[in-house]
Each structure stands twice: as structure tokens, then as C-alpha cells.
Amino acid sequence: MADLDTTLRELAQRFEAAIAAARDEHALDEVRIRFLGRTGELTVVRRGIGALPPAERPTAGKVINVAADAMEARLAAARASLERASIDASLSDSIDVTFSGPPARRGMLHPVRAVMADVAHYFSQHGFAIVLGPEIETDANNFDALNIPPDHPAREGFDSFYLRPDLLLRTHTSPMQVRAMRASGPPIAVIVPGKAYRRDAVDARHLYQFHQVEGLMVGPGIHFGHLKGLLTGMMRELFGPAQDIRFRPSFFPFTEPSAEVDVSCPGCGGAGCRTCSGSGWIEIGGSGMVHPNVLRSVGYDPDGVTGWAFGCGLERIAMKKYDVNDIREFVENKPAFLEQLA
Ligand code: PHE
């Protein structure tokens, strides 16, 4: 028994020295194998029990078990302190825990959304309903019902994305005039904000996906003056009482007479620049008195009611409002650009 105690004491000293020398987890694994593994030092001592007189074997077994438990506990403790040390080391290397974090970013409305909301607000104050329509339209609604028959040259003007011979991505929000009038009889006053699509080459003033807001008012005695007054009011609300607006005679198959709506250019204030192609004005939409053929196509009586419609590009309005002279900025999603407008 005295022999065994000595053996274990010496073994414990070697074990302790090995633990103290172990610098990482891998070294600790090796210590474990060296002492407690299948051919480890303590395992060899345990195997020696068989050579002892039978009376001494139980006590010897217990003493060895106690030593083995103590060694396992010591290994676990050493492993834990290595882990702590490595966490501490990595923290002090790369993290200054006293450093304040980056400020949280506030969300905001996209400038096109903000203009859409302003326009919708203005018209809802004047009693207009806000309605939304599908971006995939029948060519019957997008063209035929708007007095643009299949062979009409205006179809070419709207370079369209066709999905099927009879379905396309709407080229304007005007087909909602048709849907809104079919859904309810006159009088009607609606605003339709939404996306429209055209196969336009992208440049400083064109995107192939853009936003429009359509306005439509039909009833007995509605005339061009109502349109002019409301559109002028809307632009002055958006841009201030001094905003210049120009109605320029134009042509649309679904309105007669027709007028283009221009606002003075944000890039140059009217002097002429790249944004406005030198004219000093930016066209933001079309308008006019609803063509009798359109009223007929939805079952309204053109002898009983008249109406006007307009369709404005929301990006164009946002460019004007936020002094942006390249429409592509709105879809590039650069945080610096958007935050500057927030
Ligand atoms: N839909 C026309 C366009 O996109 C604009 C418009 C709307 C013109 C309503 C007249 C009346 O160009």
C-alpha cells in the first residue's frame, strides 16, 4: 500500500507539471491521453491491481478511482481557464467595449412615395377617392376602350411590354379610368397612383418602370377650368404659391381637347439645361377633356356628362420637388442620396 501511495503521489506531480506546461486545448488532450488514456500512466497502475494480494485490491481500487476523478476535474478546470484566457485575449485585441455603437438609422419614405402621398392627400381633401388598379392590363383597357384601336399609330408611341397578345404591363394609369367608370356611374372623382411600364431607353429623364398618378372627374357640367384649377392648386401645394405651370396644346386619343402639363425646370429655374433639354420646362404629364368615345365605351352618355382626366409622372414631380436632375437616382437606392432627401 505504501508503494501505491508513493507511485500515485509521484504520478500526481508529473501530471501537475504537464498541466502547467499545457498551453492550449490540444496539449491538454495529450496530457489526458498520457495519464488517463488506454495505455496511460494511471491506467497502467490500475492494471497492476491484479498483482496485489486479494485483501488489498478493493482499497487500492478506491484510491486509484479517487486519483482518476481528481485528474479529470483538474483537466476540466484547466480547459475552462484556457478558454477564458482566449476570450479575454480576443476581446482586448479587437473590441473596445467602451466605444459607442453606430447611431441607429431611421427609416423614411422614398421621395416618390412621399410625392404620391402629397398628391393623394391634396385630392382626397377635394373629395376624390383613391383607387388602385392592376399593373397587368388587357390591351382592351389599356388601348381600345381609350379610343386607341388596334391599328392606331398611338400604340407605337407606347412601347409596350406584352405578356400575351392580349395582355401587357400597363403603359399608363389611364386604363383605370375605364375600370373606375365601369365600376360606378357618374358623377365620379378618383385619383389613381401606381406603376406604369414602357420599353423606353433609360436616360436622365426616362425609366422603363415609373409611377404615375391619374386623375379623373366626370359629371354634369364638368369643364376644363375645373382641371386647370385643381392641377394648378396641386402644383402650388407641392411647390409653393409661385410655381409656374404651363398647359400646352397636345394630342391624346382619349382626350379632346388635350393639353400637356409643364412645370418650370428645377435644374435651371427656366434658363435651359440638360435636364429639360434646354427648354426651361419639364413635362410632367398629359391631360384633357375625356373623349366622348371613351365615355361611350364605359356606358356613360356623352350628351349628359363631361369630364376631364390627367396623368402625371410622379418621378418627374419628385425631380422637380427635390431638385434632382437625373431620374435614375430614384432607382439606384443609394442611402446617401435617399437620406439627403429625407
Ligand atoms: N396616359 C397619358 C400618358 O401616359 C397621360 C394622360 C392621362 C393624358 C389622362 C390625358 C389624360 O402619357
Side-chain angles (χ1 to χ4, degrees):
M1 259 330 249
D3 277 359
L4 181 61
D5 284 345
T6 313
T7 307
L8 289 180
R9 201 175 319 113
E10 284 168 8
L11 192 149
Q13 275 162 12
R14 284 197 300 281
F15 176 76
E16 205 40 59
I19 292 267
R23 289 278 158 266
D24 56 27
E25 299 234 358
H26 179 69
L28 284 179
D29 286 341
E30 288 189 337
V31 172
R32 188 172 191 290
I33 290 164
R34 177 175 152 203
F35 290 91
L36 298 162
R38 272 202 308 132
T39 57
E41 293 193 25
L42 192 71
T43 314
V44 170
V45 175
R46 196 195 299 279
R47 292 216 180 101
I49 290 177
L52 294 174
E56 291 178 13
R57 288 179 200 166
T59 321
K62 262 184 215 147
V63 173
I64 290 170
N65 283 344
V66 169
D69 288 348
M71 288 163 89
E72 289 285 9
R74 184 73 187 85
L75 276 167
R79 190 161 280 133
S81 83
L82 268 181
E83 218 167 86
R84 257 196 317 277
S86 92
I87 289 173
D88 284 351
S90 71
L91 280 180
S92 60
D93 269 3
S94 58
I95 299 177
D96 175 357
V97 292
T98 67
F99 197 80
S100 57
R105 280 196 167 172
R106 280 247 202 116
M108 69 207 146
L109 285 182
H110 187 280
V112 172
R113 269 284 150 171
V115 167
M116 190 187 271
D118 287 349
V119 171
H121 177 71
Y122 173 82
F123 279 99
S124 58
Q125 279 187 323
H126 286 82
F128 283 67
I130 298 164
V131 294
L132 302 175
E135 289 168 31
I136 296 177
E137 252 310 354
T138 60
D139 70 347
N141 283 341
N142 196 84
F143 293 126
D144 300 70
L146 290 169
N147 200 32
I148 313 175
D151 53 353
H152 196 288
R155 290 206 181 198
E156 312 263 314
F158 291 110
D159 284 316
S160 316
F161 289 111
Y162 270 91
L163 305 172
R164 278 191 342 212
D166 58 333
L167 280 185
L168 72 167
L169 296 178
R170 65 181 178 192
T171 58
H172 48 181
T173 43
S174 300
M176 268 309 286
Q177 291 183 28
V178 176
R179 287 177 182 268
M181 286 191 280
R182 285 202 180 121
S184 85
I188 184 171
V190 294
I191 281 293
V192 190
K195 290 190 188 108
Y197 302 81
R198 281 181 211 171
R199 258 175 339 116
D200 275 331
V202 171
D203 63 24
R205 292 198 298 162
H206 297 89
L207 296 172
Y208 47 81
Q209 182 206 56
F210 53 97
H211 295 79
Q212 287 191 329
V213 60
E214 191 85 7
L216 172 74
M217 186 176 213
V218 184
I222 300 296
H223 57 76
F224 201 92
H226 297 130
L227 166 68
K228 211 173 166 184
L230 276 158
L231 265 188
T232 306
M234 174 186 115
M235 295 306 172
R236 299 238 156 117
E237 172 118 337
L238 283 170
F239 303 122
Q243 174 60 42
D244 257 348
I245 290 169
R246 173 170 89 168
F247 288 86
R248 187 161 37 86
S250 185
F251 172 80
F252 297 101
F254 35 95
T255 47
E256 181 59 36
S258 304
E260 227 126 21
V261 186
D262 295 347
V263 293
S264 49
C265 173
C268 57
C273 66
R274 193 170 64 101
T275 306
C276 57
S277 308
S279 74
W281 294 89
I282 288 203
E283 177 202 324
I284 57 160
S287 64
M289 298 303 292
V290 180
H291 197 288
N293 286 351
V294 176
L295 296 175
R296 264 180 224 112
S297 77
V298 298
Y300 281 22
D301 172 14
D303 293 324
V305 292
T306 49
W308 53 253
F310 72 83
C312 286
L314 287 170
E315 281 84 358
R316 294 286 174 87
I317 298 177
M319 284 170 84
K320 164 74 186 154
K321 176 151 182 171
Y322 298 103
D323 243 16
V324 172
N325 47 36
D326 192 325
I327 195 172
R328 290 167 288 200
E329 304 252 38
F330 292 124
V331 290
E332 280 166 0
N333 272 331
K334 292 189 185 135
F337 167 76
L338 296 170
E339 274 161 20
Q340 178 194 327
L341 302 187

